[in-house]
Amino acid sequence: MPDTHPEDLIRQLRSLAEDFADVHHLTLCTGLLDDDAILMPLIARIRTTQTLTNKAIILTLAAGDSITATAAGRRAIEHLTGAARHGNNAGGHLLKGIPAATALHRAPRSAPRPLRTPRTSANHLALRRHFSAATGLLRDAPVMCLDAAALVTAALATSSTAAGPEVLPRLTDPQLAAFRLISQRAVRIRQREGRPPFLHTSVPAPTVTATVAALERKKLVTRDTRTSLDEGQELLLTPAGQRALPALVLRTTAPSRATPAPTPPRRRTR
């Protein structure tokens, strides 16, 4: 079992979110490979997805007794359980693609090769269907993990800082989603000479610079100016954002409706 201290749990959830984001990207790329190259990468994606799913389950069990005393902690468990369910279902879809990938797999170059199968064959269509379902599920899992980390962070902050309903800022759904990512230090802003600013995120989530600018105007978010925009400035919560964090993250959407994410290239959004 991992360390159940909340601070360590937050760190592990952030790491799990990045790992899920990476396997989502790799799975999406795997679906674009040629017939003779798809089988072994598919098997590798299944192994990785199962490993991450098991890690999410282990974290859920380890955190069960340590963070369920607050509403934010209980919601965090729901999101982490949702990430594990998405990972498990994604692995199931990939596993179902094995027969089709095996049928399309070509013999080594030293042996005679069969004729190439048309891309509209039943096996191709089956693979495309299973990869599409798996990448959709894996796309949502990282955001769920970061939501869980934000909720655990809020559970820790509740005892020392609490914002009453009358002082909470009004945020749109995109602003709230960006606020949760920034609370987990998952967003950096960069700008190069003569070009508009862009964002790097550690998960494939649709955060745009205009949304971040709105959070800055509301005095909830600030930039770490110790580094240049060319190198990338980390986005952090202000003291006002830290005070509002517990109540704001409790507005997090249900695990079954995680923030949708765009297709790669990841971690760079205008």
Side-chain angles (χ1 to χ4, degrees):
M1 282 287 186
D3 192 344
T4 56
H5 290 297
E7 293 84 357
D8 188 68
L9 177 62
I10 292 169
R11 178 185 60 79
Q12 293 184 74
L13 287 171
R14 292 172 182 169
S15 176
L16 183 60
E18 294 189 4
D19 290 343
F20 265 124
D22 287 339
V23 75
H24 161 260
H25 179 65
L26 291 172
T27 301
L28 188 62
C29 293
T30 302
L32 304 177
L33 296 177
D34 291 333
D35 301 350
D36 50 359
I38 200 169
L39 181 60
M40 297 312 295
L42 173 58
I43 294 173
R45 297 297 87 76
I46 293 171
R47 289 173 177 168
T48 305
T49 302
Q50 289 176 335
T51 298
L52 296 181
T53 300
N54 291 338
K55 184 177 179 180
I57 294 171
I58 291 172
L59 288 177
T60 303
L61 296 175
D65 295 331
S66 60
I67 64 171
T68 54
T70 65
R74 291 189 292 273
R75 189 75 66 82
I77 292 294
E78 293 177 9
H79 281 266
L80 188 50
T81 303
R85 183 170 57 250
H86 273 52
N88 184 65
N89 292 341
H93 279 289
L94 293 176
L95 193 61
K96 291 177 182 177
I98 287 290
T102 302
L104 293 172
H105 183 64
R106 290 174 171 267
R109 290 186 179 274
S110 58
R113 285 192 169 189
L115 295 175
R116 181 172 293 276
T117 307
R119 290 272 172 171
T120 56
S121 71
N123 289 321
H124 280 107
L125 294 177
L127 271 177
R128 194 175 303 133
R129 182 174 65 255
H130 291 307
F131 270 112
S132 177
T135 51
L137 291 163
L138 290 171
R139 177 195 61 193
D140 292 341
V143 183
M144 291 179 178
C145 292
L146 274 191
D147 277 349
L151 287 158
V152 175
T153 303
L156 293 179
T158 300
S159 58
S160 57
T161 58
E166 69 280 358
V167 300
L168 287 179
R170 298 180 61 181
L171 301 182
T172 64
D173 287 343
Q175 290 170 5
L176 184 57
F179 181 79
R180 296 197 306 270
L181 291 177
I182 293 168
S183 75
Q184 297 310 305
R185 309 183 74 163
V187 183
R188 299 175 72 91
I189 189 166
R190 299 185 66 183
Q191 186 171 14
R192 292 171 181 159
E193 185 176 357
R195 298 181 181 181
F198 59 90
L199 299 177
H200 281 287
T201 63
S202 60
V203 298
T207 304
V208 296
T209 51
T211 302
V212 171
L215 293 174
E216 289 183 297
R217 289 194 299 270
K218 294 176 185 289
K219 309 298 184 184
L220 296 174
V221 169
T222 187
R223 304 182 190 184
D224 184 354
T225 55
R226 291 174 295 182
T227 58
S228 68
L229 277 172
D230 185 63
E231 296 173 352
Q233 294 179 343
E234 189 175 29
L235 291 166
L236 307 168
L237 297 188
T238 63
Q242 292 285 357
R243 290 192 297 271
L245 177 65
L248 283 177
V249 296
L250 284 174
R251 301 178 185 176
T252 302
T253 55
S256 60
R257 297 181 61 192
T259 307
T263 55
R266 295 193 301 109
R267 303 178 183 175
R268 175 169 174 162
T269 311
R270 290 283 180 194

